């Protein structure tokens, strides 16, 4: 087994050289400041690399990732990222991004014990329990993806309800919260329309996004 990870360091050297060749002064330019427009709150899953999916360069996307893209009202880690992005960087968009076949969501759905993360995934189980009646109507093989989408809608709602976002809206700052899901099988992002640019828009957006999830995963109607 290698102890040096030389291949990663070599790849990094090549990447930096390529970036500098295509965009001379790229790195020294970033030294001065970062001015991203977007905050991405996504899953830690290695198949969902934030910058790559939306083809953004270093400096263009502020990122927070955790297991199952959860926004917990008392999570100082996530709240600190949202606060810095909103108040200091003045980003314009917060995007909560889930993904299909999420392992954290599947564990929550199936009550599977995975270790210390059980306590974290408990937040996704709260989502499952809230939508239990609907999930029961969804075909068993689609239930994980339905819960992935419901989880995005609920976590985006949580983001809207942080004091940071509410204060920003209160003082008239331009800030839009979004909920998206990334489909592993085709590499495409889908907008779940949980989109709010003010406090008034939050609940209508939440209801609309939930209705669309229900529609997408409704059992096929008998002819
Ligand atoms: Zn995941």
């Amino acid at each position: 087994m290698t102890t040096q990870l030389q291949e990663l360091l070599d790849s990094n050297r090549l990447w930096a050289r390529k970036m500098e060749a295509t965009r001379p002064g790229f790195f020294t330019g970033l030294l001065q400041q970062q001015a991203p427009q977007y905050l991405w709150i996504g899953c830690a899953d290695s198949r969902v690399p934030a910058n790559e999916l939306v083809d953004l360069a270093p400096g263009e996307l502020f990122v927070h990732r955790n297991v199952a893209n959860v926004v917990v009202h008392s999570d100082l880690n996530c709240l600190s990222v949202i606060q810095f992005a909103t108040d200091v960087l003045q980003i314009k968009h917060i995007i909560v991004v889930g993904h299909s076949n999420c392992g954290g969501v599947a564990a929550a759905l199936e009550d599977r014990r995975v270790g210390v993360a059980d306590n974290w995934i408990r937040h996704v189980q709260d989502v499952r329990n809230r939508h239990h009646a609907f999930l029961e109507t969804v075909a068993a093989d689609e239930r994980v993806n339905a819960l992935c989408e419901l989880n995005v809608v609920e976590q985006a709602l949580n983001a809207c309800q942080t004091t940071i976002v509410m204060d920003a809206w209160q003082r008239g700052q331009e800030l839009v919260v979004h909920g998206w899901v990334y489909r592993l099988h085709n590499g495409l992002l889908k907008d779940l329309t949980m989109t709010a640019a003010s406090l008034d828009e939050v609940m209508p957006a939440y209801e609309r996004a939930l209705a669309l999830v229900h529609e997408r995963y409704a059992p096929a109607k008998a002819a």
Side-chain angles (χ1 to χ4, degrees):
M1 195 184 102
T2 174
T3 54
Q4 299 298 323
L5 293 179
Q6 195 54 47
E7 66 278 20
L8 295 189
L9 296 171
D10 291 344
S11 299
N12 164 255
R13 212 178 305 264
L14 272 176
W15 172 80
R17 202 181 304 152
K18 235 185 308 173
M19 283 299 281
E20 194 58 36
T22 49
R23 296 169 69 171
F26 177 76
F27 293 106
T28 46
L30 281 182
L31 265 183
Q32 310 308 319
Q33 58 163 0
Q34 56 168 337
Q37 298 285 300
Y38 321 95
L39 164 61
W40 172 289
I41 301 176
C43 182
D45 193 305
S46 66
R47 297 167 295 181
V48 195
N51 282 65
E52 279 176 75
L53 300 190
V54 283
D55 202 18
L56 287 179
E60 295 179 329
L61 191 65
F62 205 63
V63 176
H64 175 78
R65 293 168 68 181
N66 61 43
V67 172
N69 44 272
V70 176
V71 179
V72 181
H73 297 303
S74 57
D75 173 15
L76 280 179
N77 187 354
C78 185
L79 291 178
S80 302
V81 171
I82 296 177
Q83 195 264 329
F84 188 79
T86 303
D87 296 354
V88 181
L89 297 175
Q90 301 265 310
I91 48 115
K92 299 274 186 281
H93 303 271
I94 296 175
I95 317 163
V96 177
V97 190
H99 67 97
S100 60
N101 300 89
C102 179
V105 171
L109 182 68
E110 297 156 10
D111 280 315
R112 200 171 348 115
R113 295 292 304 269
V114 290
V116 73
D118 296 343
N119 302 283
W120 180 255
I121 285 167
R122 185 71 233 172
H123 295 293
V124 184
Q125 290 187 318
D126 290 344
V127 175
R128 177 200 66 181
N129 296 347
R130 191 168 312 138
H131 299 279
H132 175 76
F134 161 68
L135 285 167
E136 284 292 296
T137 69
V138 176
D141 60 343
E142 292 195 343
R143 224 168 269 161
V144 170
N145 289 339
L147 183 53
C148 287
E149 296 190 11
L150 292 171
N151 186 47
V152 167
V153 175
E154 294 289 348
Q155 304 309 333
L157 175 66
N158 287 351
C160 292
Q161 292 173 333
T162 57
T163 52
I164 304 148
V165 171
M166 290 199 300
D167 287 351
W169 282 337
Q170 190 78 42
R171 60 178 180 260
Q173 188 174 329
E174 255 178 71
L175 181 64
V176 189
V177 175
H178 309 258
W180 292 356
V181 71
Y182 174 73
R183 264 71 181 271
L184 286 183
H185 72 280
N186 63 8
L188 294 176
L189 286 159
K190 182 176 177 58
D191 183 351
L192 299 182
T193 76
M194 173 61 206
T195 311
S198 69
L199 200 51
D200 294 344
E201 292 179 13
V202 174
M203 289 323 288
Y206 175 75
E207 300 295 345
R208 178 182 58 222
L210 280 188
L212 287 172
V213 176
H214 285 209
E215 213 169 276
R216 262 193 300 283
Y217 290 91
K221 291 189 181 67

